Amino acid sequence: MCGIVAYIGPKQAYPIIIKGLKRLEYRGYDSAGVALIDNDDLNIYKTKGKVSDLELATEGKNIEGNLGMGHTRWATHGEPNDRNAHPHLSQSGNLAVIHNGIIENYATIKEALEIRGHTFNSDTDTEVLIHLIEDIQENEQISIDEAVRIALNQVIGAYAIVILVKNEPAKLIAARKGSPLVVGIGQEEGEFFMASDATPIVEYTRDVTYLNDGEIAIVKDGKLSIKTIENIAKTPFIQKLEINLEEIEKGGYPHFMLKEIFEQPKSIHDSIRGRIDSTTGKIAMRSIQEYEDKLRNVKRLILIGCGTSWHAGLVGEYLFEEFARIPVEVEYASEFRYRNPVIFPDDLVIAISQSGETADTLAAIELAKEKGATVFGICNVVGSSIPRFSDAGAYTHAGPEIGVASTKAFTAQVSVLVIMALAVAQIRGTISQERLRLVLSELESIPALVEEALKTDEDIQKLAAIFKDSRNFLYLGRGVNFPVALEGALKLKEISYIHAEGYPAAEMKHGPIALIDEEMPVVVIAPKRGVYEKVMSNIQEVKARKGKIIAIVTQGDTKIRAMADHVIEIPDTDESLTPLLATIPLQLLSYYIAVLRGCNVDQPRNLAKSVTVE
Ligand code: G6P
């Protein structure tokens, strides 16, 4: 939610910032802006719209400068227009700020500042923060660094900020609480980068330090120093970036989403690699080994997440109950955190998140930890906040996911959940060695089977052409494939703006059946395993009302083929793993429908990939 990038060093800042903003655009694309210091001038350009609109707005303007910062916005306070676009200036114009997050007490601070003569040019909470900093600095006659520190002690909310000081052109100040910020240490003397994630930095340097909550980074006269908002100096912990440039580029695909869908054989392979061995039945996952005693006796699991990650949690519920025989609750992080939930110290909470930065999921973790529960994180982005705040966990290793609609992160999360559930089952003795080896060996084959499922691509393009103008879609699934129905519906509505609902197939008759007529496509996930016969009855119920059936079936299926209007075949596998295959055609279907409808697939309207506000 909002992307920020900044540069100080010997190079020209503008091209680095623009390129960086394009990489961060998945975080929001309501407006974009840049601030550059060229000698004594502070030049700010900003506009409603995308980074490409910002480029147009800067044509013919002075974009010189070795120090600058840029912002791409996902609007929270104030509509997406030019005046609310970042950067924002202080009262005198000496300070400029970019911000990702929300200053919750901005209204009270604004009122107090207005009484003191401050005037504001936007409706944002961000502008209030920079005015406050300047007000403190002028009143108390202190350095800007110190004023930033004092101001941050007065604000409530979440932020990652970068500040430029017009009359101190060798300085950059950044701080974080709740929203991510990474500092890159450039290869040249006095060269530093700051950004919401490492993607704008990786082509210049691999040395980075992730700011912790409540830390302020100051680059001054070519040196980086870090202190806390309590004024305690910190030694930066420098680590090496592991991502590659190719991973964050489209690599010949028209959209990141399509690239990421087709990457799934590899991303699933990477998420299981080194963790399982079907011949010996061995599972190696450090967090599980470290917490073996706890897991042996754990009474309940609570899986939390948002969006697609919550859907992975629902698959996880099935897996843990099936294999490890542990009661599981799956919670939306946003509901869990505000509901005074009953949490026991012997509960294990598993937080699932692609970005590792989702504000509600982070807050839910905090709550669970306060109540004494152990927290595991399943995250994709290495070094992000959730893994750092969790007691233990596992990375999904799916590689950077840039398309706003999550695809490969979901299948990687499910793969990791399968491994965790089997490992816990092994510890608790709830699975036979034979079954364990069988599921492990099927899991080892999944990357190849996903490859096979991707061959449905051409058939799905044809289907997309038939159904692209539908106004509603219903997705039905049962058991472990009910969450897949939810995920299929979510994908379609996110990127094509067609209304879609996911439902447990049998629940259909308690409501959605009223919507079914000859106009209604109904996607039914009906692999041969599980409650196959029951799903067939549900298909009949839809047919009787003239609904159009698109069935996802196991290769070679004849019974459903005879009933359905369209069938898409996926390879056979163990029932517990069918979500990993059934998801693939649903992702492709939403993708092609969205493309045919002329939608911006990678940047769907109003959405952002990393939701760092609650
Ligand atoms: C946003 C994204 C979704 C994602 C959800 C949770 O809504 O658009 O794709 O599933 O956030 O994000 P997380 O990073 O926690 O998985």
Side-chain angles (χ1 to χ4, degrees):
M1 227 140 247
C2 296
I4 63 185
V5 57
Y7 175 79
I8 185 167
K11 302 188 180 79
Q12 281 295 310
Y14 179 83
I16 294 172
I17 291 167
I18 291 292
K19 207 170 189 187
L21 287 180
K22 286 186 176 163
R23 298 230 161 100
L24 292 174
E25 221 169 7
Y26 71 86
R27 302 178 68 87
Y29 26 84
D30 289 332
S31 65
V34 61
L36 299 158
I37 293 192
D38 181 30
N39 297 315
D40 291 336
D41 292 332
L42 170 60
N43 296 313
I44 293 193
Y45 309 107
K46 52 189 192 173
T47 179
K48 179 176 188 285
K50 302 200 173 221
V51 180
S52 52
D53 297 306
L54 176 64
E55 285 182 285
L56 291 177
T58 55
E59 264 174 25
K61 305 270 172 59
N62 177 13
I63 49 164
E64 296 289 307
N66 305 106
L67 168 57
M69 62 187 187
H71 186 266
T72 173
R73 177 169 186 245
W74 187 85
T76 58
H77 292 63
E79 65 174 277
N81 56 23
D82 292 358
R83 54 192 285 278
N84 288 331
H86 298 211
H88 291 287
L89 287 172
S90 61
Q91 182 74 25
S92 74
N94 186 41
L95 308 180
V97 68
I98 51 174
H99 170 214
N100 163 209
I102 292 181
I103 306 300
E104 286 171 10
N105 58 340
Y106 83 103
T108 347
I109 299 173
K110 189 172 185 178
E111 247 171 59
L113 288 171
E114 274 169 341
I115 294 168
R116 297 162 63 79
H118 284 255
T119 50
F120 293 90
N121 297 310
S122 76
D123 312 312
T124 64
D125 50 337
T126 306
E127 191 184 11
V128 174
L129 174 63
I130 200 68
H131 277 241
L132 174 68
I133 292 169
E134 184 164 79
D135 193 70
I136 293 172
Q137 188 225 341
E138 286 177 351
N139 268 321
E140 303 194 12
Q141 294 289 304
I142 50 177
S143 69
I144 290 163
D145 313 4
E146 188 55 6
V148 169
R149 194 183 70 75
I150 294 172
L152 292 180
N153 276 291
Q154 294 180 13
V155 299
I156 300 169
Y159 52 79
I161 51 168
V162 182
I163 295 170
L164 285 187
V165 188
K166 184 179 172 190
N167 63 14
E168 291 187 67
K171 181 184 267 187
L172 256 184
I173 306 173
R176 85 156 263 179
K177 184 181 163 218
S179 303
L181 198 73
V182 50
V183 179
I185 295 95
Q187 287 167 346
E188 301 197 49
E189 186 71 26
E191 182 177 52
F192 294 92
F193 303 80
M194 291 169 179
S196 301
D197 72 28
T199 56
I201 299 178
V202 64
E203 72 184 272
Y204 309 102
T205 176
R206 296 204 157 259
D207 295 331
V208 295
T209 178
Y210 290 89
L211 283 198
N212 290 310
D213 270 353
E215 287 184 348
I216 304 172
I218 300 172
V219 175
K220 196 173 167 183
D221 301 326
K223 300 264 171 320
L224 169 71
S225 63
I226 296 181
K227 63 179 175 185
T228 67
I229 60 171
E230 290 84 28
N231 215 9
I232 300 164
K234 291 273 172 165
T235 311
F237 169 66
I238 312 289
Q239 57 189 98
K240 290 272 178 217
L241 281 179
E242 283 175 13
I243 52 171
N244 295 315
L245 209 50
E246 310 84 72
E247 289 180 317
I248 54 172
E249 295 188 332
K250 283 190 197 145
Y253 284 90
H255 297 100
F256 280 110
M257 184 179 174
L258 192 64
K259 174 182 175 236
E260 288 157 7
I261 291 174
F262 274 87
E263 271 173 358
Q264 288 174 108
K266 177 173 185 306
S267 53
I268 296 176
H269 175 75
D270 290 346
S271 67
I272 61 179
R273 189 175 49 190
R275 288 176 164 163
I276 59 171
D277 182 344
S278 64
T279 47
T280 58
K282 273 220 156 118
I283 303 177
M285 199 174 252
R286 212 174 60 209
S287 49
I288 303 284
Q289 278 136 12
E290 272 173 22
Y291 282 82
E292 197 171 323
D293 289 340
K294 165 134 202 145
L295 292 167
R296 186 169 294 115
N297 302 309
V298 71
K299 299 276 179 310
R300 181 174 68 152
L301 293 185
I302 304 174
L303 306 189
I304 52 177
C306 302
T308 291
S309 297
W310 181 75
H311 293 159
L314 291 175
V315 177
E317 176 180 27
Y318 175 96
L319 298 169
F320 276 102
E321 290 187 354
E322 169 74 12
F323 296 137
R325 308 302 298 145
I326 309 177
V328 180
E329 284 173 29
V330 187
E331 301 269 4
Y332 285 116
S334 54
E335 285 298 309
F336 179 78
R337 63 180 289 199
Y338 284 118
R339 223 193 38 228
N340 193 15
V342 181
I343 308 169
F344 301 109
D346 56 1
D347 283 337
L348 173 70
V349 172
I350 304 185
I352 308 168
S353 172
Q354 187 286 128
S355 62
E357 300 293 350
T358 303
D360 282 319
T361 311
L362 270 166
I365 290 181
E366 215 170 291
L367 179 69
K369 286 184 83 172
E370 265 168 35
K371 307 252 180 187
T374 304
V375 178
F376 277 17
I378 297 183
C379 292
N380 194 38
V381 177
V382 176
S384 57
S385 301
I386 291 175
R388 289 192 289 148
F389 292 162
S390 305
D391 297 302
Y395 282 115
T396 46
H397 298 307
E401 189 181 67
I402 315 258
V404 166
S406 186
T407 52
K408 65 174 180 171
F410 175 74
T411 46
Q413 287 165 345
V414 171
S415 306
V416 168
L417 283 163
V418 172
I419 299 174
M420 274 192 178
L422 290 172
V424 176
Q426 197 174 35
I427 291 169
R428 293 164 71 92
T430 50
I431 191 166
S432 69
Q433 193 63 9
E434 193 191 355
R435 172 112 174 90
L436 175 79
R437 286 190 196 185
L438 176 86
V439 182
L440 288 179
S441 120
E442 297 270 310
L443 184 58
E444 281 166 349
S445 313
I446 285 288
L449 299 184
V450 168
E451 196 82 67
E452 185 79 16
L454 285 166
K455 292 188 185 145
T456 56
D457 184 70
E458 266 182 35
D459 289 345
I460 288 174
Q461 291 190 43
K462 290 180 198 144
L463 267 187
I466 300 171
F467 291 105
K468 71 176 179 17
D469 297 319
S470 300
R471 299 188 50 209
N472 298 288
F473 260 79
L474 191 58
Y475 286 73
L476 303 177
R478 295 187 76 141
V480 72
N481 284 307
F482 160 54
V484 176
L486 293 179
E487 177 59 11
L490 177 66
K491 279 301 76 96
L492 187 72
K493 66 187 137 194
E494 276 181 316
I495 60 168
S496 72
Y497 318 138
I498 295 175
H499 168 249
E501 279 189 56
Y503 243 80
E507 250 326 274
M508 171 190 68
K509 52 188 169 297
H510 300 290
I513 200 161
L515 302 172
I516 295 175
D517 59 17
E518 59 280 4
E519 304 275 287
M520 175 71 106
V522 181
V523 180
V524 187
I525 302 138
K528 201 171 69 189
R529 311 288 177 133
V531 282
Y532 177 74
E533 303 288 335
K534 304 279 174 204
V535 177
M536 280 209 303
S537 312
N538 301 136
I539 291 177
Q540 294 291 11
E541 289 154 14
V542 174
K543 287 303 297 172
R545 276 117 196 135
K546 300 196 165 50
K548 297 277 173 291
I549 296 284
I550 303 167
I552 312 297
V553 299
T554 307
Q555 275 167 358
D557 182 293
T558 49
K559 288 186 185 163
I560 291 184
R561 183 172 283 278
M563 298 174 202
D565 298 273
H566 306 274
V567 292
I568 296 292
E569 291 192 339
I570 53 170
D572 191 19
T573 185
D574 188 86
E575 187 190 359
S576 60
L577 306 182
T578 49
L580 292 168
L581 302 179
T583 304
I584 308 294
L586 304 191
Q587 294 170 342
L588 288 168
L589 183 65
S590 353
Y591 172 78
Y592 286 116
I593 289 182
V595 169
L596 289 173
R597 288 166 71 92
C599 299
N600 187 336
V601 173
D602 283 337
Q603 294 171 350
R605 71 181 176 211
N606 303 337
L607 296 177
K609 187 151 191 70
S610 184
V611 182
T612 52
V613 295
E614 61 172 282

